[in-house]
């Protein structure tokens, strides 16, 4: 288990909450307990044994989307508050404290390999041994399998030899909920299947899967012995190499929502825009905040399951930043789910691209 | 749970049964989701950014704890919360974003923290009259962002812009970095709506100027929560500036810089940003300029023709004091780093005690106040640094901002009290005012009688008339006892 970096945590606990304007959970709740520095103060008190674990403390420390909005203005370049909060939460397991609301999700993970229950989306497909392994992710499978279909069609149109496996959840939700052991088990199972597939490139459309494979698997000693590529970069590559040739799109006015992980962890803000610029007929209008300054949709850290009301309020706040008549396009199943509120049309990048190819 | 936590300055608390009864009744009025007695919420609203709270935090202590937190969403709810508290004689403390620097939100007698952050909407943007009506819990950066979206600026940029509320600005008579052009918050407020301790709501109209008796809404500007809760404010706004001119200069002596500023203010120039640093701060902020001369940075903005005229006036005044032109780059650097506040966290962890002390002087005693306060601070054992700059200027004088850092060794609190006593004594002896924009809070109340003389008594009578049971933010603004701190 990763140690909490006490010096960085205290830098944050002693900060006047400079980034509070960019913390979505604080902005929708108004609660000091979930302000960035507020959470750091609680975490520091836990570390110093001035506070004991109980449900309200765990709930407050869990109120972090890992959206990294706080990093936009944070003067401490070494600090990753969401990671420090995660590391703090992982220590709670020993005391048996957890969010009761996620108990069924944890059982689902154990029983079905997905927090949503029985997997509905496509399972193993394509040719075993094919170079490219497309990893769909449990959230797309459960909520928006149309994006997986679109990705498959695109890969076929581009003539890519690809396969899909009977994947398990990448492990990220389990860790977010404080169960690193379960996360590691899921990772080990996935790793076994991925190695067994014989693929040399793993493409994932879900930013959380991407971050988990690239950042957490090494921590859990489950390094993947193949290249992991994010969906936007991979499909852009196919476009640039002429394997995909888009024609005029039926969509005109589009506004791209940068998912936090692609924008701030992977720094992938140009790739999706380049894809959109290569589709004839599309006019992209930016929302109020975009690129690395994007604002979370409310779906980070599994909030749609853990804190559904907060997630919805954050999504509403984010939606107000988009031109009313634009189709919102994103590249993350959580963002899509969150932003899909009444009166708004929300699609994923792969679907927009597939429709024009 | 919070029982285990040492609350150093807690003067008293309300009986728990009273709080429970209040919680139940107020929940029925405003909704349970807006009321919390959760120990985490209580712990998280118990302090602001008063350095003493940070020192105690490292020791596992807090200044004092509230007993209930409420989050009203409307003026009506604020009124209900206060009326019931008034009836039950329960203290109420308004809470913005806790960036106050003097313990203004510390709940000395426990009671109810009224957290204003869910009142965060812009109610009206009046394009013709250049006014905005805003709820007081709105965060400063989000306020400015919304104005920018419509082509305006609020002109108010405290260094705490991203971590303070509009209500906090009004309550503390705040000043932004661009104050020389746009004014302090009191110059921007056209009208305000407030709720008195007994729940009475009143609002003045946003007409330009009146001769209809004293403006009672303006009484709430600087009231730091002791008179009632400010719920909305109508503020001036400006179209985004057409032109911006950046300039920096250095002077051999601080007095030359002060005189140059006095002269261009006298001539009518109003650059948005005017910052004159002593040699030590010049070296700290702009190492490439060295630490022998004193840097002046200026930002002029507005309509192009006016900016050009101001530039000419300023250039004449600074050259008359033999300024060296050091170009616009230093101002760009300042603009990029002006909200960066990281040194305090690091220094506190290393055992330092630090604070900033801002006072106002007229021109005739500007320099002498600076040297007297600096000397007084350096004389306190343990002080490592006492440096200063002027950053808000007026035709009649300027605000001096002193930064003090010390490594006192054993008793940090004694050292903290000593530096303040020395600084305030020097300030008052020079005839300067004890605060320009941070306000009084809990800590600076000790010098309010000396600052105001009989005036403090008048303020006390107003307070008693508006809040007869003394429920509003007890012990602040130098009104009421703070025995445990002053001991
Ligand atoms: C890093 C840093 C930099 C700063 N820079 C500046 C600066 O450049 N200029 C400046 O002026 N100040 C500055 N400050 C001080 C502070 O930010 C201001 O005093 C600010 O106005 C406080 O706003 P807040 O919302 O955080 O108020 P809080 O700290 O929450 O409250 C301050 C006081 O106002 C009262 N109050 C809050 N809201 C209301 C309301 N709606 N009605 C009635 N009373 C209310 C509280 O009870 C308390 O007494 C700085 C502080 C920090 C930490
Ligand atoms: S994340 Fe950075 S900016 Fe935000 S409160 Fe912590 S230290 Fe301050
Ligand atoms: S990562 Fe996002 S939710 Fe978490 S503290 Fe930072 S801004 Fe808030």
């Amino acid at each position: 288990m990763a140690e909490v970096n006490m010096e960085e945590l205290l830098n944050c606990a002693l900060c006047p909450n400079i980034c509070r304007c960019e913390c979505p959970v604080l902005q929708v709740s108004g609660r000091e307990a979930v302000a960035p520095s507020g959470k750091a103060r609680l975490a520091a008190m836990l570390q110093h044994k001035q506070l004991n674990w109980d449900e309200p403390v765990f709930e407050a420390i869990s109120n972090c989307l890992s959206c990294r909005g706080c990093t936009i203005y944070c003067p401490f370049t070494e600090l990753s508050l969401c990671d420090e909060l995660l590391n703090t939460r992982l220590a709670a397991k020993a005391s048996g404290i957890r969010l009761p609301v996620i108990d069924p999700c944890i059982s689902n993970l154990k029983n079905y390999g997905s927090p949503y229950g029985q997997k509905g989306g496509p399972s193993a497909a394509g040719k075993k041994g094919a170079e490219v392994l497309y990893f769909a992710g449990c959230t797309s499978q459960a909520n928006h399998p149309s994006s997986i279909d679109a990705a498959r069609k695109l890969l076929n149109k581009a003539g890519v030899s690809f396969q899909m496996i009977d994947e398990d959840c990448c492990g990220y939700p389990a860790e977010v909920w404080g169960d690193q052991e379960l996360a590691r088990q899921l990772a080990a199972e996935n790793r076994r299947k991925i190695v067994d597939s014989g693929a040399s490139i793993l493409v994932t459309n879900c930013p959380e899967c991407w971050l988990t494979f690239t950042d957490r698997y090494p921590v859990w000693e489950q390094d993947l012995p193949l290249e992991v590529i994010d969906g936007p970069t991979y499909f852009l590559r196919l476009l640039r190499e002429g394997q995909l040739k888009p024609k005029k799109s039926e969509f005109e006015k589009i506004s791209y929502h940068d998912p936090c992980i692609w924008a701030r962890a992977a720094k992938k803000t140009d790739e999706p825009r380049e894809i959109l610029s290569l589709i004839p007929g599309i006019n992209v209008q930016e929302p109020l905040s975009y690129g690395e300054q994007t604002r979370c949709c409310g779906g980070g850290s599994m909030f749609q399951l853990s804190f559904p009301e907060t997630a919805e309020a954050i999504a509403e706040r984010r939606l107000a930043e988009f031109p009313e008549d634009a189709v919102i396009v994103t590249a993350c199943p959580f963002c899509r789910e969150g932003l899909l509120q009444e009166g708004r049309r929300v699609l994923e990048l792969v679907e927009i691209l597939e429709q024009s190819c | 749970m919070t029982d285990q936590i040492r609350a150093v300055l807690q003067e008293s608390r309300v009986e728990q049964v009273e709080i429970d009864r209040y919680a139940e009744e107020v929940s029925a009025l405003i909704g349970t989701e807006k009321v919390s007695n959760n120990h985490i919420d209580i712990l998280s609203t118990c302090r602001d950014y008063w350095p003493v709270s940070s020192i105690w935090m490292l020791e596992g202590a807090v200044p004092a704890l509230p007993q209930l937190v409420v989050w009203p969403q409307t003026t009506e709810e604020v009124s209900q919360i206060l009326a019931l508290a008034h009836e039950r004689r329960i203290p109420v403390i308004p809470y913005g974003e806790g960036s106050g620097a003097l313990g203004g939100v510390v709940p000395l007698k426990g009671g109810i923290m009224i957290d204003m952050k869910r009142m965060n909407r812009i109610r009206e943007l009046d394009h013709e009259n250049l006014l905005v009506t805003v709820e007081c819990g709105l965060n400063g950066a989000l306020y400015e962002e919304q104005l920018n979206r419509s082509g305006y600026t609020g002109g108010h940029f405290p260094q705490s812009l991203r971590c303070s509320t509009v209500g906090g600005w009004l309550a503390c008579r705040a000043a932004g970095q661009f104050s020389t052009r746009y004014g302090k918050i009191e110059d921007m407020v056209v009208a305000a709506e407030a709720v008195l301790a007994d729940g009475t709501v009143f609002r003045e109209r946003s007409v330009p100027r009146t001769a209809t008796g004293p403006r009672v809404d303006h009484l709430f500007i600087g009231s730091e929560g002791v008179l009632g809760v400010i719920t909305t404010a109508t503020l001036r706004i400006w179209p985004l500036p057409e032109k911006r001119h950046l300039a920096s200069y250095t002077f051999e002596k601080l007095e030359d810089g002060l005189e140059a500023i006095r002269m261009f203010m006298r001539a009518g120039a109003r650059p948005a940003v005017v910052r004159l640093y002593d040699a030590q701060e010049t070296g700290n902020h702009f190492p490439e300029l060295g630490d022998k001369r004193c840097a002046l940075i200026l930002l002029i903005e507005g309509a192009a023709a006016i900016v050009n005229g101001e530039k000419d006036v300023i250039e004449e005044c600074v050259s008359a004091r033999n300024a060296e032109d050091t170009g616009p780059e230093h101002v760009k650097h300042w603009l990029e780093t002006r909200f960066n506040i990281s040194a305090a966290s690091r220094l506190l962890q290393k055992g330092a005690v630090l604070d900033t002390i801002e006072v106002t002087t007229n021109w005739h005693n500007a320099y002498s106040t600076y040297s007297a306060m600096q000397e007084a601070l350096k004389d306190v054992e343990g002080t490592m640094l006492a440096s200063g700059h002027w950053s808000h200027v007026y035709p009649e004088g300027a605000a001096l901002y002193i930064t003090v850092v010390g490594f006192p060794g054993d008793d940090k609190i004694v050292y903290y009290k000593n530096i303040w006593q020395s600084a305030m004594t020097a300030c008052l002896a020079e005839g300067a005012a004890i605060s320009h924009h941070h306000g009084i809070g809990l800590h600076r109340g000790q010098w309010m009688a000396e600052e105001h003389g009989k005036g403090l008594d008048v303020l006390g009578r107003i307070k008693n008339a508006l809040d007869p049971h003394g429920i509003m933010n007890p012990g602040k603004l130098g009104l009421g006892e703070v025995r445990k701190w002053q001991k």
Side-chain angles (χ1 to χ4, degrees):
Chain A
M1 199 176 294
E3 290 285 311
V4 169
N5 181 332
M6 238 5 240
E7 192 182 330
E8 292 302 330
L9 188 66
L10 280 176
N11 276 336
C12 185
L14 291 163
C15 170
N17 254 315
I18 305 165
C19 62
R20 62 159 71 234
C21 54
E22 289 301 329
C23 179
V25 282
L26 169 68
Q27 286 306 325
V28 300
S29 69
R31 282 181 74 199
E32 283 301 309
V34 301
S37 178
K39 288 175 282 205
R41 287 172 197 170
L42 294 175
M45 291 182 85
L46 282 162
Q47 294 292 334
H48 285 150
K49 308 265 182 287
Q50 293 151 355
L51 204 61
N52 302 324
W53 277 115
D54 63 13
E55 223 178 278
V57 180
F58 189 73
E59 186 259 356
I61 306 257
S62 300
N63 249 288
C64 172
L65 295 147
S66 295
C67 71
R68 295 162 174 76
C70 45
T71 62
I72 298 176
Y73 296 130
C74 184
F76 299 102
T77 47
E78 298 298 308
L79 169 70
S80 170
L81 175 59
C82 52
D83 289 337
E84 298 305 344
L85 294 174
L86 176 68
N87 290 336
T88 305
R89 279 200 305 275
L90 292 175
K93 191 161 183 244
S95 48
I97 303 285
R98 60 190 197 292
L99 294 174
V101 61
I102 53 89
D103 281 352
C105 309
I106 292 277
S107 312
N108 285 337
L109 276 171
K110 288 179 180 159
N111 298 333
Y112 308 110
S114 162
Y116 303 95
Q118 211 128 29
K119 278 179 264 182
S123 53
K127 211 168 61 208
K128 191 163 176 180
E131 185 196 15
V132 172
L133 169 61
Y134 188 78
F135 196 91
C138 56
T139 303
S140 290
Q141 286 181 334
N143 295 337
H144 301 288
S146 60
S147 68
I148 308 173
D149 286 342
R152 282 155 58 128
K153 283 185 192 154
L154 275 175
L155 292 168
N156 280 327
K157 284 179 189 175
V160 174
S161 155
F162 75 98
Q163 57 173 317
M164 291 175 75
I165 54 172
D166 179 20
E167 58 191 57
D168 285 311
C169 166
C170 65
Y172 149 81
E175 187 178 58
V176 159
W177 289 322
D179 195 339
Q180 203 180 53
E181 204 34 56
L182 178 58
R184 199 190 295 264
Q185 282 165 20
L186 290 160
E189 190 55 18
N190 271 326
R191 184 179 185 282
R192 190 186 58 72
K193 290 178 191 166
I194 291 167
V195 171
D196 189 45
S197 76
S200 54
I201 297 176
L202 187 154
V203 178
T204 171
N205 225 25
C206 174
E208 300 292 9
C209 296
W210 176 85
L211 190 64
T212 307
F213 292 146
T214 54
D215 184 62
R216 306 311 292 162
Y217 275 36
V219 174
W220 303 336
E221 293 164 343
Q222 303 298 333
D223 304 56
L224 293 177
L226 77 178
E227 189 187 0
V228 179
I229 309 184
D230 60 282
T233 302
Y234 186 73
F235 288 109
L236 179 60
R237 196 183 283 178
L238 297 180
L239 277 164
R240 282 190 185 149
E241 286 169 5
Q243 286 173 262
L244 290 172
K245 295 196 177 59
K247 291 189 273 301
K248 192 167 178 338
S249 174
E250 72 177 57
F251 301 100
E252 275 176 24
K253 203 165 163 190
I254 276 182
S255 210
Y256 178 70
H257 164 77
D258 289 274
C260 301
I261 301 294
W262 286 153
R264 283 190 280 266
K267 311 277 182 208
K268 301 278 178 189
T269 53
D270 292 341
E271 290 78 355
R273 287 177 174 78
E274 195 177 333
I275 292 179
L276 290 171
S277 75
L278 292 172
I279 306 176
I282 284 183
N283 164 19
V284 178
Q285 285 200 358
E286 299 291 5
L288 177 68
S289 47
Y290 60 93
E292 287 189 38
Q293 316 257 318
T294 187
R295 287 187 175 138
C296 186
C297 67
S301 286
M302 304 305 293
F303 261 45
Q304 286 151 1
L305 295 180
S306 332
F307 302 105
E309 284 168 17
T310 311
E312 201 177 319
I314 293 171
E316 253 174 53
R317 190 169 169 265
R318 173 62 175 157
L319 275 170
E321 298 194 359
F322 288 89
E324 272 174 22
D325 53 347
V327 174
I328 300 173
V329 173
T330 187
C332 165
F334 296 98
C335 300
R336 185 203 193 144
E337 177 72 6
L339 297 175
L340 200 57
Q341 296 197 12
E342 212 180 302
R344 295 310 306 231
R345 182 136 194 228
V346 187
L347 290 167
E348 283 181 64
L349 195 55
V350 279
E351 291 169 293
I352 297 281
L353 182 59
E354 195 279 323
Q355 180 273 334
S356 70
C357 284
Chain B
M1 165 72 83
T2 44
D3 297 350
Q4 306 159 14
I5 292 167
R6 192 163 64 97
V8 188
L9 299 182
Q10 194 86 56
E11 299 267 348
S12 58
R13 284 168 75 74
V14 179
E15 290 286 336
Q16 195 54 44
V17 285
E18 275 295 309
I19 291 289
D20 294 344
R21 186 158 74 106
Y22 177 90
E24 200 176 303
E25 287 177 34
V26 87
S27 299
L29 292 170
I30 68 171
T32 44
E33 73 290 356
K34 295 177 194 153
V35 181
S36 171
N37 61 4
N38 181 327
H39 66 281
I40 292 309
D41 290 317
I42 283 170
L43 194 55
S44 304
T45 47
C46 73
R47 53 163 287 195
D48 58 7
Y49 202 63
W50 183 30
V52 171
S53 302
S54 297
I55 294 169
W56 282 333
M57 190 194 89
L58 290 170
E59 296 166 0
V62 299
L65 290 163
Q67 293 164 281
L68 199 70
V69 185
V70 293
W71 291 270
Q73 251 165 333
T74 62
T75 302
E76 176 61 22
E77 288 172 359
V78 174
S79 167
Q80 290 169 316
I81 292 163
L82 292 191
L84 194 58
H86 172 79
E87 191 189 308
R88 301 286 158 72
R89 317 269 202 274
I90 302 177
V92 178
I93 303 98
Y95 195 99
E97 291 193 329
S99 70
L102 290 132
V105 298
V106 172
L108 292 167
K109 299 186 173 181
I112 305 152
M113 222 21 113
I114 177 162
D115 189 330
M116 296 300 290
K117 284 190 283 294
R118 286 193 200 163
M119 284 192 70
N120 61 1
R121 284 156 301 184
I122 292 220
R123 291 218 184 142
E124 192 190 350
L125 189 58
D126 178 346
H127 299 269
E128 186 175 10
N129 298 307
L130 280 179
L131 293 173
V132 64
T133 299
V134 55
E135 292 178 349
C136 279
L138 181 60
N139 169 278
L142 299 176
Y143 166 70
E144 180 65 14
E145 177 185 285
Q146 290 193 51
L147 292 178
N148 291 169
R149 224 172 156 177
S150 305
Y152 301 107
T153 175
H156 189 72
F157 305 93
Q159 197 191 21
S160 54
L161 178 75
R162 294 171 180 152
C163 57
S164 58
T165 60
V166 173
W169 299 344
L170 263 76
C172 298
R173 286 181 93 90
Q177 294 156 339
F178 286 42
S179 69
T180 304
R181 171 171 160 73
Y182 298 103
K184 274 183 89 201
I185 197 74
E186 62 262 35
D187 304 308
M188 298 172 179
V189 182
V190 176
E193 176 190 79
V195 184
L196 301 184
D198 67 1
T200 305
V201 180
F202 78 97
R203 177 177 175 79
E204 293 282 340
R205 289 182 302 137
S206 44
V207 283
R209 296 282 159 149
T210 53
T212 54
R215 288 283 301 230
V216 286
D217 55 346
H218 286 205
L219 194 59
F220 281 71
I221 308 173
S223 63
E224 300 193 21
V226 309
L227 298 182
V229 178
I230 315 165
T231 40
T232 69
T234 302
L235 304 173
R236 292 197 175 132
I237 54 173
W238 289 260
L240 285 168
E242 182 190 357
K243 182 172 178 181
R244 206 174 238 200
H245 173 76
L246 311 179
S248 76
Y249 302 92
T250 60
F251 297 89
E252 192 188 339
K253 295 200 309 264
L254 208 41
E255 297 93 309
D256 290 330
L258 285 169
E259 188 57 12
I261 298 170
R262 187 177 76 87
M263 292 315 287
F264 70 62
M265 291 301 288
R266 191 182 174 97
R270 293 292 179 272
V273 178
V274 180
R275 299 175 75 85
L276 175 67
Y277 299 88
D278 69 6
Q280 184 155 19
E281 290 202 3
T282 300
N284 288 348
H285 295 297
F286 312 102
E288 59 287 4
L289 293 177
D291 61 1
K292 299 280 177 291
R293 292 174 67 86
C294 302
L296 169 66
I297 66 165
L298 297 170
L299 182 154
I300 316 171
E301 67 177 24
I306 299 175
V307 170
N308 294 340
E310 286 186 306
K311 180 171 159 285
D312 293 345
V313 170
I314 289 168
E315 279 170 2
E316 202 176 303
C317 296
V318 295
S319 14
R321 306 306 297 190
N322 300 320
E324 191 182 307
D325 187 340
T326 43
E329 288 307 313
H330 307 296
V331 194
K332 285 187 196 153
H333 167 73
W334 173 79
L335 279 168
E336 279 159 19
T337 54
R338 66 194 169 124
F339 296 122
N340 185 330
I341 309 149
S342 55
S345 291
R346 293 204 167 99
L347 283 165
L348 279 161
Q349 285 200 61
K350 293 200 170 100
V353 171
L354 61 151
D355 211 346
T356 54
I357 305 176
E358 27 60 66
V359 301
T360 322
T361 72
N362 294 107
W363 290 118
H364 73 267
N365 59 351
Y367 185 75
S368 59
T369 303
Y370 162 77
S371 33
M373 287 181 67
Q374 193 188 37
E375 263 168 46
L377 286 165
K378 284 188 172 164
D379 280 348
V380 180
E381 204 184 324
T383 299
M384 298 282 289
L385 173 135
S387 60
H389 65 258
W390 280 267
S391 45
H392 309 271
V393 305
Y394 307 90
E396 65 276 16
L400 166 63
Y401 190 97
I402 297 219
T403 300
V404 53
V405 182
F407 284 89
D410 41 356
D411 201 333
K412 291 179 182 171
I413 301 300
V414 168
Y415 172 75
Y416 183 83
K417 288 187 171 184
N418 287 344
I419 51 172
W420 269 90
Q421 189 59 54
S422 307
M424 290 291 95
T425 305
C427 163
L428 286 161
E430 284 294 325
I434 60 171
S435 176
H436 175 261
H437 58 263
H438 284 171
I440 301 301
L442 174 159
H443 171 56
R444 210 168 353 204
Q446 328 172 39
W447 297 280
M448 277 289 270
E450 261 180 279
E451 170 74 27
H452 286 290
K454 268 273 174 237
L456 185 61
D457 187 38
V458 176
L459 186 59
R461 290 196 213 178
I462 295 172
K463 154 95 176 159
N464 290 342
L466 297 185
D467 176 20
H469 304 323
I471 62 163
M472 293 307 309
N473 206 3
K476 309 300 162 51
L477 264 190
L479 302 169
E481 292 178 7
V482 278
R483 283 173 299 125
K484 288 194 175 160
W485 178 241
Q486 289 186 4
K487 197 170 62 182

